[in-house]
Amino acid sequence: AQKVTQAQTEISVVEKEDVTLDCVYETRDTTYYLFWYKQPPSGELVFLIRRNSFDEQNEISGRYSWNFQKSTSSFNFTITASQVVDSAVYFCALSNTGGFKTIFGAGTRLFVKA
Amino acid sequence: DSGVTQTPKHLITATGQRVTLRCSPRSGDLSVYWYQQSLDQGLQFLIHYYNGEERAKGNILERFSAQQFPDLHSELNLSSLELGDSALYFCASSVAPDSYYTDTQYFGPGTRLTVL
């Protein structure tokens, strides 16, 4: 069975701190895809990234970076120099089809204080 | 603005009733996805349509059904509603059917359904 665990329910940081959101997944598939989504207080969902299980290269996009480690079944998300606008719930998700038929983690609520 | 529209924004109805949620994808997107977000179940994938055809099903109840029309808009029909169906229902769209690696997904603002 597939499963995504986001053990951190809530994280609170002060602006400009770096913060890492953990995501651990379980799957028996050799090909799978991992995702991160953001849900700001306004409620909409925003797709952030999708990674293929064959591509373990870390990715950086501005202040965001993702660390994919197959050996530990983790796909962690780091925000560098956090800002108040980063306050949101962040969801990690897993798919075995490549598409967006995903299983979501419970989410991590991030509070960034000014 | 993601370009994905959902109507209505809010819907309040009673148990046993039937409702229809509507989604219009971004111009040019052929895939439509439906998700449910509730306090009990969290975020769940419901169903995926590509160019009018069902591509994948998730945890969608038999009381729920969906379709995608020739103009690519999609409707999610929820019937025999129960209190537990109260949730935020999101629609999302993307260009490709499923495994196009660089495809991006865009979400609508959601429809909040309250069943009393």
Side-chain angles (χ1 to χ4, degrees):
Chain A
Q2 296 189 316
K3 188 177 176 183
V4 176
T5 302
Q6 295 180 257
Q8 304 151 308
T9 308
E10 286 187 2
I11 301 175
S12 184
V13 299
V14 176
E15 213 171 15
K16 296 183 185 169
E17 279 186 32
D18 298 347
V19 58
T20 295
L21 309 183
D22 298 333
C23 174
V24 173
Y25 61 92
E26 292 176 31
T27 180
R28 291 183 180 173
D29 298 310
T30 52
T31 300
Y32 52 90
Y33 299 79
L34 296 161
F35 305 74
W36 276 95
Y37 294 85
K38 175 182 179 180
Q39 188 172 37
S42 52
E44 76 270 24
L45 276 168
V46 179
F47 165 80
L48 294 178
I49 189 172
R50 166 169 59 183
R51 298 297 288 186
N52 177 305
S53 58
F54 295 111
D55 183 0
E56 289 191 69
Q57 200 168 14
N58 291 333
E59 177 143 348
I60 297 174
S61 176
R63 295 184 297 106
Y64 294 173
S65 62
W66 290 270
N67 184 336
F68 177 25
Q69 292 203 341
K70 244 186 197 177
S71 59
T72 56
S73 297
S74 65
F75 185 45
N76 297 337
F77 173 30
T78 297
I79 302 174
T80 302
S82 59
Q83 299 176 1
V84 172
V85 292
D86 296 326
S87 296
V89 180
Y90 291 87
F91 294 95
C92 180
L94 169 68
S95 168
N96 65 353
T97 66
F100 295 104
K101 179 186 174 184
T102 40
I103 292 170
F104 291 87
T108 296
R109 186 178 296 274
L110 174 65
F111 294 99
V112 181
K113 302 177 201 172
Chain B
D1 184 359
S2 67
V4 179
T5 61
Q6 288 187 249
T7 56
K9 288 194 85 159
H10 302 276
L11 198 46
I12 301 174
T13 188
T15 53
Q17 294 299 303
R18 173 189 168 95
V19 296
T20 297
L21 312 184
R22 182 188 167 107
C23 169
S24 293
R26 283 188 340 143
S27 175
D29 285 358
L30 299 176
S31 271
V32 170
Y33 306 81
W34 286 97
Y35 298 87
Q36 179 196 58
Q37 185 176 28
S38 66
L39 288 174
D40 291 342
Q41 309 274 0
L43 257 175
Q44 292 194 100
F45 165 79
L46 295 179
I47 198 163
H48 169 208
Y49 277 85
Y50 175 75
N51 204 19
E53 291 189 7
E54 182 184 305
R55 295 288 292 208
K57 249 182 178 175
N59 296 326
I60 187 165
L61 300 171
E62 284 193 16
R63 300 183 286 107
F64 295 2
S65 64
Q67 54 182 325
Q68 186 180 27
F69 295 86
D71 67 352
L72 300 177
H73 90 272
S74 177
E75 293 180 358
L76 179 66
N77 299 296
L78 317 176
S79 61
S80 303
L81 286 168
E82 301 175 0
L83 296 178
D85 298 328
S86 294
L88 193 50
Y89 291 84
F90 287 104
C91 157
S93 74
S94 70
V95 170
D98 35 39
S99 55
Y100 188 51
Y101 186 68
T102 60
D103 200 10
T104 297
Q105 194 180 33
Y106 299 89
F107 283 84
T111 292
R112 183 167 294 282
L113 173 66
T114 302
V115 182
L116 301 175

